């Protein structure tokens, strides 16, 4: 089966007056439709840069990024092909970027409004997601009236409303307290499975990576290369992230990851 996303020998360096900062070196991997991949690595190694390249915000210096077999990511930022690619990719960040001056409903419809795609069909999809994910009662509330977990769910609905094929999650839970974070990981994981989405999660939290992913890419320190790929297999399939945390496999994978990360420091 053709992978949804394929990176081949991707290299990237930042250039400034002060000189060159190589960020990524020869990154190659594939992501299949429906997979959940976590990316971990030392702080500052190039994880966010990797997501910016995949989303088309940055262009690789060499190598290629193929989305569903199409290499449009290689083309100059802002070109028509690049815009089309961006529509297939949703980005969720650490900050939820909900606007206080809009209601929850008008926040989740914002992306569609901007893209002039807010129609009756999309409104029905959004209403269903608000209902399914416990936000219907809050559709006319302001973001400040929501809990941290609810805010992240609203941000996720806003992203999913655009119908992305691939979701890029850049530390989306790190602003939440530990207890909320566990609950939101479960929520987000259930939503992504239900919506059959493919996702790439950048996180510095090793237990989060082991609890959510099918596969973990471990990066070296900057310039990042792929140090190791860890395929996660659990005896019981389809466990929620919280349930995974009490399995023996969880402990084993966590220890393995911990050793790899400490070796790479
Ligand atoms: P991570 O997400 O792993 O913490 P980043 O991808 O944000 O790392 O950054 C990788 C490296 O590139 C860091 O050393 C950072 O300082 C550098 N970097 C990031 N953005 C820029 C930029 N716009 N200009 C120059 N260097 C940058």
């Amino acid at each position: 089966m053709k992978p949804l996303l394929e990176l081949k020998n991707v290299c990237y360096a930042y250039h400034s007056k002060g000189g060159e900062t190589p960020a990524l070196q020869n990154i190659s991997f594939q992501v299949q439709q429906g997979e959940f991949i976590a990316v971990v690595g030392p702080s500052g190694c190039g994880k966010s840069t990797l997501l910016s390249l995949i989303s088309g915000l940055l262009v690789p210096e060499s190598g290629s990024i193929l989305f569903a077999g199409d290499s449009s990511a290689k083309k100059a930022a802002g070109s028509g092909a690049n815009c089309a690619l961006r529509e297939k990719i949703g980005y969720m960040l650490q900050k939820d970027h909900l606007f206080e001056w809009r209601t929850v409903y008008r926040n989740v419809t914002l992306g569609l409004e901007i893209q002039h795609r807010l129609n009756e069909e999309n409104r029905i999809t959004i209403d269903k997601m608000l209902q399914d994910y416990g936000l219907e009662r809050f559709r006319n509330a302001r973001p400040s009236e929501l809990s941290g977990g609810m805010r992240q769910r609203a941000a996720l609905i806003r992203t999913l409303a655009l119908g992305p094929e691939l979701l890029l999650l850049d530390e989306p839970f790190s602003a939440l307290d530990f207890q909320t974070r566990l609950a939101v990981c479960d929520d987000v994981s259930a939503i992504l499975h239900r919506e059959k989405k493919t996702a790439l999660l950048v996180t510095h939290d090793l237990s989060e990576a082991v609890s959510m992913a099918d596969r973990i890419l471990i990066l070296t320190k900057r310039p990042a290369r792929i140090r190791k790929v860890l395929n996660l297999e659990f005896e019981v399939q389809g466990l929620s992230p919280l349930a995974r945390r009490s399995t023996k496999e969880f402990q084993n994978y966590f220890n393995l990851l911990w050793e790899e990360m400490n070796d790479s420091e």
Side-chain angles (χ1 to χ4, degrees), residues 2-257:
K2 206 191 275 181
L4 181 65
L5 177 72
E6 183 172 16
L7 277 76
K8 290 184 188 167
N9 296 318
V10 169
C11 297
Y12 188 81
Y14 290 99
H15 297 273
S16 64
K17 274 189 190 157
E20 187 187 77
T21 309
L24 299 174
Q25 211 167 53
N26 285 331
I27 301 281
S28 300
F29 65 91
Q30 296 185 344
V31 181
Q32 301 298 332
Q33 179 88 41
E35 261 194 310
F36 193 117
I37 310 284
V39 181
V40 301
S43 180
C45 76
K47 300 183 290 298
S48 299
T49 305
L50 179 64
L51 293 194
S52 298
L53 285 160
I54 293 169
S55 71
L57 291 172
L58 296 175
V59 180
E61 287 196 325
S62 61
S64 59
I65 299 179
L66 306 165
F67 190 82
D70 171 18
S71 65
S72 45
K74 263 178 26 183
K75 294 175 184 142
S79 75
N82 211 276
C83 290
L85 175 81
R86 283 194 203 163
E87 280 180 17
K88 294 181 186 163
I89 295 180
Y91 220 136
M92 200 169 148
L93 303 163
Q94 185 176 342
K95 269 192 77 171
D96 56 48
H97 296 287
L98 294 176
F99 294 118
E100 191 52 33
W101 42 275
R102 293 176 80 103
T103 61
V104 168
Y105 183 74
R106 297 204 60 226
N107 265 288
V108 299
T109 55
L110 181 62
L112 287 168
E113 244 178 68
I114 291 171
Q115 293 186 2
H116 305 291
R117 286 167 53 205
L118 186 57
N119 53 29
E120 197 46 37
E121 190 187 338
N122 289 331
R123 282 185 195 277
I124 292 170
T125 309
I126 287 177
D127 284 348
K128 182 158 182 345
M129 282 197 279
L130 287 171
Q131 200 122 43
D132 287 349
Y133 306 133
L135 287 175
E136 174 52 30
R137 261 189 330 122
F138 296 90
R139 62 187 289 135
N140 295 320
R142 300 281 161 180
S144 59
E145 296 170 60
L146 304 183
S147 67
M150 290 163 116
R151 291 182 70 111
Q152 278 311 71
R153 261 184 275 149
L156 182 61
I157 293 174
R158 183 188 53 197
T159 308
L160 291 175
L162 295 165
E165 290 177 39
L166 173 69
L167 271 152
L168 304 177
L169 310 169
D170 196 350
E171 305 257 12
F173 315 118
S174 55
L176 304 171
D177 65 73
F178 186 65
Q179 205 178 344
T180 308
R181 194 174 174 142
L182 292 182
V184 175
C185 280
D186 261 22
D187 277 356
V188 168
S189 171
I191 294 170
L192 295 184
H193 276 114
R194 193 158 158 182
E195 306 285 337
K196 296 191 173 58
K197 293 294 173 195
T198 311
L200 212 72
L201 166 76
V202 159
T203 179
H204 65 266
D205 182 337
L206 304 187
S207 57
E208 191 169 281
V210 178
S211 70
M212 295 190 83
D214 300 314
R215 201 146 50 95
I216 302 179
L217 306 183
I218 308 170
L219 302 183
T220 64
K221 59 185 176 205
R222 193 179 64 76
R225 283 168 289 109
I226 294 187
R227 180 185 167 86
K228 190 163 186 159
V229 179
L230 204 59
N231 289 310
L232 304 186
E233 281 170 18
F234 288 77
E235 202 177 311
V236 181
Q237 307 238 322
L239 290 177
S240 72
L242 197 59
R244 267 194 187 185
R245 286 175 185 261
S246 15
T247 62
K248 63 175 189 310
E249 294 100 321
F250 178 88
Q251 202 54 53
N252 294 341
Y253 286 131
F254 180 87
N255 292 343
L256 235 150
L257 206 48

